Amino acid sequence: GESVGLHLPTLSVQEGDNSIINCAYSNSASDYFIWYKQESGKGPQFIIDIRSNMDKRQGQRVTVLLNKTVKHLSLQIAATQPGDSAVYFCAENKLGGAQKLVFGQGTRLTINP
Amino acid sequence: NAGVTQTPKFQVLKTGQSMTLQCAQDMNHNSMYWYRQDPGMGLRLIYYSASEGTTDKGEVPNGYNVSRLNKREFSLRLESAAPSQTSVYFCASWSRLSTDTQYFGPGTRLTVL
């Protein structure tokens, strides 16, 4: 079946540096993508989303890039802080009807002081 | 506004026992979802309810049943628990009218011995 996967399971960066988390998706029909942050012992928390009619979307310290040609999604976090340490998941969906998200495996981001 | 709440937070069962996980949302969302998350993996959809009065299978429905009790509440039942059902269970809700993203509860950590 179709699935969303991540290139790297773990990522460590120095506090203050920028981080990039990658995601590959395989369902070309997907037109809505979301990044979630999951802290230990908690449920996933929405970070940012992007629709397939966009290539880039920016939020506060976060940017999501979408490359539909190679079915690749990335999350950039600027000036990382200790509170950014978490597992990050990408998820995909086809808009319309019930929202049935397909999640990737996740990347654990560790911010080193 | 509590968002999505789940009970219990933790549960230990013996093989063959039954239990019901409870979920409630106070955001007036139409759709509700049950996911499971196994160690080192993303979330997988068990069942969902697109609207009050309807339920549908997700990716991994075997061994589970659900009930959409009313618009607020969506329960997940394990009739005869198996060790393979040891996991963290998350409930989520969503409404196309108010948001493009699902909101998640804090999770229930279930261990089946």
Side-chain angles (χ1 to χ4, degrees):
Chain A
E2 303 280 7
S3 64
V4 177
L6 295 176
H7 294 302
L8 295 173
T10 61
L11 178 64
S12 294
V13 298
Q14 291 298 121
E15 183 178 353
D17 287 351
N18 299 332
S19 67
I20 300 176
I21 301 172
N22 295 305
C23 175
Y25 66 94
S26 57
N27 186 353
S28 56
S30 293
D31 51 12
Y32 178 58
F33 305 88
I34 312 167
W35 281 100
Y36 283 96
K37 173 185 180 183
Q38 187 177 27
E39 296 175 290
S40 181
K42 297 183 178 180
Q45 179 183 8
F46 170 82
I47 301 174
I48 192 168
D49 59 0
I50 188 168
R51 297 194 179 207
S52 60
N53 60 352
M54 302 174 68
D55 297 322
K56 179 180 179 179
R57 191 170 188 208
Q58 288 183 295
Q60 187 176 13
R61 287 200 304 116
V62 294
T63 301
V64 55
L65 298 178
L66 176 62
N67 185 330
K68 295 180 287 295
T69 302
V70 296
K71 289 186 244 177
H72 183 267
L73 192 68
S74 68
L75 175 70
Q76 301 177 1
I77 305 175
T80 53
Q81 304 169 355
D84 294 330
S85 292
V87 177
Y88 290 81
F89 293 96
C90 63
E92 61 175 320
N93 181 57
K94 179 78 175 73
L95 289 171
Q99 189 183 69
K100 294 168 64 177
L101 298 178
V102 175
F103 282 81
Q105 182 182 4
T107 293
R108 180 175 298 281
L109 176 65
T110 301
I111 308 302
N112 300 313
Chain B
N1 189 338
V4 180
T5 57
Q6 293 182 235
T7 56
K9 286 185 167 50
F10 301 94
Q11 184 70 50
V12 178
L13 294 177
K14 295 181 179 178
T15 297
Q17 287 185 317
S18 62
M19 79 160 296
T20 300
L21 282 65
Q22 306 287 352
C23 174
Q25 52 92 9
D26 61 2
M27 297 175 282
N28 201 36
H29 287 172
N30 292 320
S31 301
M32 297 185 73
Y33 307 80
W34 277 105
Y35 294 88
R36 61 176 288 173
Q37 184 177 32
D38 299 314
M41 296 182 65
L43 282 71
R44 291 184 293 169
L45 183 64
I46 304 171
Y47 269 94
Y48 67 100
S49 171
S51 61
E52 187 178 356
T54 69
T55 61
D56 285 287
K57 295 178 180 180
E59 180 186 354
V60 288
N62 291 344
Y64 306 95
N65 286 301
V66 291
S67 295
R68 184 73 182 268
L69 304 171
N70 47 56
K71 191 171 186 179
R72 290 187 64 250
E73 300 172 287
F74 188 39
S75 63
L76 178 72
R77 182 160 179 85
L78 287 70
E79 289 291 351
S80 179
S84 62
Q85 294 179 303
T86 294
S87 190
V88 181
Y89 292 84
F90 290 98
C91 177
S93 70
W94 172 71
S95 174
R96 184 184 300 114
L97 298 177
S98 62
T99 178
D100 277 333
T101 187
Q102 293 180 20
Y103 288 90
F104 287 83
T108 294
R109 186 174 294 275
L110 175 66
T111 300
V112 183
L113 303 176

